[in-house]
């Protein structure tokens, strides 16, 4: 009789593990989708606030020296140390 109880317990444990794996998979999929949406909005907001689409408009009076303030920042390249 003990073997039957052990077998039934194993079946229920396996079913529980399968259900938890399904729930975890659905949670991971939703997490990936939400993270993608957040990243997309971050890119759109960064695009709109970096001067590409009129985030910064400067007057054209006078001469400008150096960078005009449009686009992304450019960083100087560094040489690797040995």
């Amino acid at each position: 009789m003990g073997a039957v109880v052990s077998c039934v317990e194993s079946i229920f444990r396996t079913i529980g593990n399968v259900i938890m794996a399904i729930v975890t998979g659905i949670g991971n999929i939703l997490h990936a989708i939400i993270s993608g949406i957040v990243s997309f909005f971050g890119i759109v907001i960064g695009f709109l606030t970096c001067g590409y689409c009129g985030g910064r408009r400067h007057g054209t009076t006078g001469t400008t020296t150096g960078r005009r303030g449009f686009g992304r920042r450019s960083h100087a390249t560094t040489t690797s140390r040995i």
Side-chain angles (χ1 to χ4, degrees):
M1 196 67 176
V4 174
V5 172
S6 175
C7 183
V8 170
E9 285 178 354
S10 296
I11 290 172
F12 285 133
R13 185 177 304 122
T14 303
I15 292 171
N17 288 337
V18 168
I19 291 172
M20 285 306 297
I22 292 171
V23 169
T24 302
I26 292 172
N28 288 335
I29 290 170
L30 290 175
H31 185 267
I33 291 171
I34 291 170
S35 295
I37 292 171
V38 169
S39 296
F40 175 74
F41 281 120
I43 291 169
V44 169
I45 290 170
F47 178 77
L48 294 176
T49 57
C50 282
Y52 290 115
C53 291
R56 288 189 237 164
R57 291 191 177 158
H58 299 289
T60 57
T61 59
T63 60
T64 58
T65 58
R67 292 181 348 134
R68 295 177 49 172
F70 294 103
R72 297 183 182 228
R73 294 180 182 168
S74 61
H75 298 284
T77 57
T78 60
T79 57
S80 61
R81 294 181 184 171
I82 298 176

